Amino acid sequence: MSPIHHLEEDTLISLLQKKDQRAFNYLYDHYAGALYGLVLRIVTLKEYADEVLQNVFVKIWKHIDSFDASRGKLYTWIINIARNAAFDYIKSKGVQNEQKNQSLPDIVDAKEKHNFSVSTQVDHIGFKNVLNELRAEWKELIEMAYYEGYTQQEIAEKLNIPLGTVKTRTRGALLELKKILKEYQY
């Protein structure tokens, strides 16, 4: 069985739904780097990120039938799976207890390694450039919600601003991101 070199999104989805192993390999080869960068930014430790990434691809494989093209692109769907899996992982009791037992130098060292890895891993998808085009107050909200996992209520409390303001700014940020991302499409 020869590898697949290029697939349109519709074809990829169809083959994944038919449980075609070559399509799964294609998906992994083309999306694992971006997903890993996102997961690593959230969970911060390579060992955790590796485990979460594996779980993400298992979820994609098992639940590809629940993908609905009318609600968005495949990439958006898998990014959401990865993001949610990473947040679920760090919120799990075992991970929280393990992090509490980790010494301060270990945590600082892990953060430094994480920052280096993320800048090299995520930057190739160019999303940092996209975020930098947002107004500072919008960028902060998107980073807190998307990368740090804060709810809108938690953001409001942390920034000491009304919940309605957070919702309005988030909506504005998402609309602006949509406009910016259209410019990046080819």
Side-chain angles (χ1 to χ4, degrees):
M1 203 184 301
S2 62
I4 301 171
H5 297 290
H6 178 73
L7 284 176
E8 296 297 323
E9 184 172 291
D10 293 344
T11 306
L12 176 60
I13 294 164
S14 176
L15 290 171
L16 287 170
Q17 289 172 335
K18 294 175 185 170
K19 303 297 184 197
D20 184 300
Q21 184 66 43
R22 293 177 309 154
F24 184 77
N25 293 341
Y26 178 90
L27 182 78
Y28 186 86
D29 291 344
H30 287 84
Y31 294 95
L35 295 177
Y36 185 77
L38 171 67
V39 168
L40 184 61
R41 184 169 180 150
I42 295 168
V43 301
T44 70
L45 294 174
K46 184 184 178 325
E47 303 81 47
Y48 296 161
D50 293 342
E51 186 176 338
V52 171
L53 186 64
Q54 181 179 350
N55 291 338
V56 166
F57 277 97
V58 168
K59 285 180 183 180
I60 293 168
W61 183 254
K62 286 183 176 180
H63 301 288
I64 189 66
D65 289 331
S66 68
F67 172 73
D68 182 358
S70 70
R71 296 187 63 188
K73 297 264 187 204
L74 177 65
Y75 182 71
T76 305
W77 184 73
I78 64 174
I79 282 286
N80 282 324
I81 289 173
R83 180 180 171 275
N84 292 338
F87 285 129
D88 289 347
Y89 191 82
I90 62 172
K91 289 178 182 176
S92 72
K93 200 73 159 161
V95 172
Q96 288 179 3
N97 287 337
E98 187 175 318
Q99 287 177 341
K100 285 178 190 172
N101 294 332
Q102 193 175 24
S103 69
L104 185 58
D106 291 342
I107 292 170
V108 171
D109 186 45
K111 289 279 188 192
E112 287 173 3
K113 286 180 187 172
H114 158 69
N115 288 337
F116 174 76
S117 297
V118 169
S119 64
T120 57
Q121 288 282 337
V122 174
D123 197 36
H124 77 275
I125 62 172
F127 198 68
K128 277 196 320 190
N129 294 337
V130 173
L131 277 182
N132 287 334
E133 292 185 37
L134 292 177
R135 296 192 324 212
E137 63 190 25
W138 288 356
K139 179 182 174 188
E140 180 180 34
L141 290 177
I142 295 300
E143 287 177 341
M144 289 178 76
Y146 194 75
Y147 292 117
E148 298 171 30
Y150 288 105
T151 65
Q152 289 183 326
Q153 180 65 45
E154 291 168 334
I155 293 170
E157 291 167 5
K158 192 163 179 80
L159 297 179
N160 198 28
I161 57 178
L163 178 60
T165 302
V166 171
K167 290 181 178 189
T168 301
R169 287 180 185 172
T170 302
R171 177 165 168 66
L174 292 174
L175 289 172
E176 185 65 20
L177 274 175
K178 185 176 182 179
K179 221 169 32 173
I180 293 168
L181 289 172
K182 280 187 181 181
E183 295 170 12
Y184 280 84
Q185 289 180 343
Y186 47 89

